Amino acid sequence: ISAPNIHHSTVMFRSPGPEDAELTAVIGATVPTGFEQTAAEEVQEKLGSASRISRDRGKIYFQVPAQRLPQVHRLRSVDNLFVVVQEFKYYEFKENKEDALKDLEDLVKKLCWTDPLKVWELNNSLKKKKTKRKKHNLQSTASRERMNDGGEEGGADQSNTNDQEDCAQNLEAVAGGQNTEKPQGVASRDGVEQEADNEQSDVKGEVQASSESGTKAGDGQTGEGEPKVLRFRVTCNRAGDKHSFTSNEAARDFGGAVQEHFQWKADMTNFDVEVLLNIHNNEVVVGIALTEESLHRRNITHFGPTTLRSTLAYGMLRLCDPQPTDIIVDPMCGTGAIPIEGATEWPYCYHIAGDNSPQAVKRAANNICSLLRKNESKDSGLGVPLDIIQWDICNLPLRTGSVDIVVTDMPFGKRMGSKKKNWDLYPACLMEMGRICTPGTGRAVLLTQDKKCFAKALSRVGHIWRRAQTVWVNVGGLHAAVYLLRRTWERAEERRSW
């Protein structure tokens, strides 16, 4: 899209003022598919706002005062946030491609952008404050470390890395006396790393309207006192097979109209504003992104071949309704996403994580150390009620009936383990989980994509486990299920190899 001889309009950045107290925003949030109701319950519980679940799976909408944006960002079940400019529940697309795209172009001028842009500005000012606090905390931590080391010069990053390795070694030492050999047929899995959770029919297109200017985002101030010219990009998420256009075409033409309307500069990478165009069949939602990266990355710094998203881990934990003093075990913890999320959100429970893989235990230990350091930077001074150990999932070093909840991500047989091994592994796991869980009140929440194998295994242990609920989820394009199981009163057989 060429835009010759354009005089760019400008936007003055400002600090939040009294006028923002009256500003309300309709917030859109993407959440793990299948856990929309869980996210809606969290919003009601923590913000007091009712949510509407979108027909497009994996999204909810709720209204809040703009001043409550900090609390919105602290929600545990949401991946990405955006402020809604306008929503069209029954948008009529023309059959002809050119006409349909022309209608999208014309839509830009009809939308009311003023309040959503105010919300975006307010959100931006909050992010800047957070960044300043983070830098200050990092500098303070680095200063303390230099003082503790007798003034020795060494970057904070290097010190952090050494701390992580030392901490991992210390936590692994807890496993002393346990069998450190990898048992046959036992694998760990923790979801799918860094993959989008859209339905397979979703198509994502992004557009950069071509601009004659090649300046970077930091060059917005062309002279002293001159306001900054905003840079933008348009991202289109489209689902449905009855559209005459592609996502790229919709983003391109809608982006061209946005550029013409606001006179902003287009930039695919160093952008200030990300305009979202979400199209799901005949539903259209226009929004402005409030998150630069997904909130599900909040806890994990050391990733493995498979890493479960923190938002999905939260949904699984919430499903089993943890109560104070509950003992919660993740016997196949991988990089520790579930127990770390549990210890963060349910600090009055005791969390035990374990895995048969020494590499997984080390990564999880490093992630725990990162969490401890983050808590230290907030001057909370509190540890986390979480321990990690290397063990054999089929022979856990835990007393019979001593555990309240088991939550784990079982191997799918894709990236970790194999479908063939799962036929032996799953029944053995369920038996051992049944042994350690408290009869009558114990529960388990288990994620797997190998649904056929799991159903067969569950039928073999039906005397100790009853299926209470199934939540169908999408994990990186794989259709998986989260099963809530309840422990029966039936006595489980004792099983010991030593």
Side-chain angles (χ1 to χ4, degrees):
I1 302 164
S2 60
N5 302 322
I6 285 180
H7 298 287
H8 298 283
S9 68
T10 55
V11 174
M12 291 294 291
F13 290 95
R14 60 177 178 81
S15 298
E19 66 275 13
D20 295 315
E22 303 297 323
L23 187 62
T24 60
V26 176
I27 302 295
T30 61
V31 302
T33 55
F35 282 101
E36 295 88 352
Q37 187 58 45
T38 299
E41 289 169 3
E42 186 193 11
V43 169
Q44 180 67 54
E45 179 184 300
K46 295 180 178 178
L47 299 174
S49 300
S51 298
R52 179 176 59 80
I53 297 172
S54 171
R55 287 179 293 165
D56 181 10
R57 289 191 74 200
K59 290 188 183 72
I60 64 168
Y61 298 97
F62 54 93
Q63 188 168 334
V64 291
Q67 291 283 17
R68 301 205 69 186
L69 281 174
Q71 292 96 312
V72 173
H73 278 273
R74 285 197 287 270
L75 292 171
R76 312 297 293 183
S77 55
V78 304
D79 289 319
N80 291 287
L81 297 164
F82 59 94
V83 57
V84 174
V85 176
Q86 197 161 338
E87 180 182 7
F88 303 88
K89 293 183 180 179
Y90 301 100
Y91 188 92
E92 291 186 13
F93 289 101
K94 301 280 178 59
E95 291 185 12
N96 180 274
K97 181 199 287 190
E98 286 72 22
D99 292 340
L101 292 174
K102 182 66 168 60
D103 283 351
L104 285 176
E105 287 182 40
D106 295 340
L107 187 62
V108 172
K109 291 176 282 189
K110 299 174 184 176
L111 299 175
C112 183
W113 295 88
T114 307
D115 282 353
L117 281 171
K118 284 181 182 177
V119 173
W120 171 84
E121 271 189 83
L122 181 61
N123 187 72
N124 235 30
S125 66
L126 293 169
K127 281 195 295 186
K128 287 177 181 177
K129 286 181 183 177
K130 186 177 179 182
T131 303
K132 285 180 182 177
R133 284 198 302 269
K134 191 174 181 181
K135 285 180 180 178
H136 173 73
N137 289 333
L138 284 172
Q139 288 167 357
S140 300
T141 304
S143 299
R144 286 198 301 269
E145 286 172 352
R146 281 197 293 272
M147 288 175 66
N148 292 337
D149 292 341
E152 209 172 273
E153 288 299 324
D157 290 342
Q158 183 180 349
S159 176
N160 285 349
T161 304
N162 293 335
D163 286 347
Q164 287 171 353
E165 297 302 322
D166 292 341
C167 190
Q169 290 169 8
N170 292 337
L171 285 166
E172 282 183 84
V174 177
Q178 298 298 325
N179 178 19
T180 57
E181 292 182 4
K182 187 172 181 176
Q184 289 294 320
V186 178
S188 66
R189 190 180 196 291
D190 213 2
V192 177
E193 178 184 357
Q194 306 300 314
E195 293 195 30
D197 196 20
N198 292 333
E199 296 293 327
Q200 289 179 342
S201 61
D202 286 359
V203 183
K204 183 174 181 178
E206 298 173 344
V207 67
Q208 174 187 3
S210 60
S211 173
E212 69 278 7
S213 172
T215 55
K216 295 181 180 178
D219 299 332
Q221 297 278 353
T222 55
E224 190 173 345
E226 285 187 30
K228 180 179 178 180
V229 177
L230 291 181
R231 297 171 181 273
F232 83 102
R233 82 172 183 188
V234 171
T235 301
C236 177
N237 296 284
R238 184 183 63 87
D241 55 2
K242 295 183 178 179
H243 305 125
S244 58
F245 51 84
T246 66
S247 295
N248 283 328
E249 289 169 337
R252 179 197 66 203
D253 288 17
F254 192 82
V258 169
Q259 185 183 40
E260 186 178 342
H261 183 66
F262 289 105
Q263 306 294 290
W264 291 342
K265 292 182 180 180
D267 195 317
M268 276 288 288
T269 52
N270 297 316
F271 53 88
D272 301 300
V273 185
E274 182 176 21
V275 179
L276 305 174
L277 177 61
N278 296 327
I279 301 172
H280 181 256
N281 294 323
N282 62 342
E283 182 182 73
V284 175
V285 180
V286 179
I288 300 173
L290 300 178
T291 46
E292 291 177 5
E293 68 172 10
S294 178
L295 299 176
H296 78 255
R297 302 181 56 148
R298 57 181 169 258
N299 294 330
I300 305 302
T301 55
H302 292 71
F303 291 88
T306 60
T307 298
L308 192 71
R309 294 159 56 186
S310 297
T311 46
L312 186 51
Y314 174 84
M316 291 172 64
L317 283 156
R318 193 175 172 106
L319 195 61
C320 58
D321 189 25
Q323 298 299 310
T325 74
D326 275 352
I327 296 175
I328 305 175
V329 172
D330 182 353
M332 294 180 277
C333 70
T335 53
I338 292 173
I340 289 173
E341 185 67 24
T344 303
E345 190 66 10
W346 288 273
Y348 299 108
C349 299
Y350 180 49
H351 305 263
I352 306 174
D355 204 287
N356 72 299
S357 164
Q359 291 89 351
V361 171
K362 188 172 183 179
R363 289 190 193 103
N366 283 329
N367 285 324
I368 295 168
C369 287
S370 297
L371 179 64
L372 286 167
R373 250 192 313 278
K374 188 163 71 173
N375 287 352
E376 189 179 300
S377 70
K378 293 177 182 175
D379 294 325
S380 64
L382 298 175
V384 290
L386 167 59
D387 278 317
I388 185 164
I389 189 169
Q390 186 178 335
W391 59 26
D392 173 2
I393 170 59
C394 298
N395 220 343
L396 298 172
L398 297 170
R399 188 182 302 141
T400 298
S402 62
V403 172
D404 298 289
I405 297 171
V406 174
V407 186
T408 199
D409 176 12
M410 302 183 77
F412 287 15
K414 298 276 188 182
R415 292 190 180 185
M416 297 294 290
S418 70
K419 296 259 185 187
K420 185 177 179 182
K421 288 181 179 179
N422 283 351
W423 286 97
D424 295 322
L425 177 64
Y426 278 23
C429 287
L430 288 172
M431 283 297 295
E432 186 66 353
M433 291 174 191
R435 181 188 69 79
I436 64 171
C437 262
T438 310
T441 59
R443 53 252 191 235
V445 173
L446 310 174
L447 167 66
T448 180
Q449 190 262 339
D450 198 349
K451 300 180 285 292
K452 184 178 179 182
C453 180
F454 185 86
K456 183 68 174 176
L458 189 59
S459 69
R460 290 171 59 179
V461 295
H463 61 293
I464 57 174
W465 288 115
R466 290 281 186 270
R467 185 168 65 184
Q469 188 178 347
T470 304
V471 179
W472 303 105
V473 296
N474 188 308
V475 183
L478 298 174
H479 294 282
V482 174
Y483 298 97
L484 170 62
L485 308 181
R486 297 200 179 275
R487 182 69 169 81
T488 67
W489 287 98
E490 189 78 21
R491 181 184 174 89
E493 62 180 84
E494 296 285 338
R495 188 168 181 273
R496 282 289 182 272
S497 62
W498 61 77

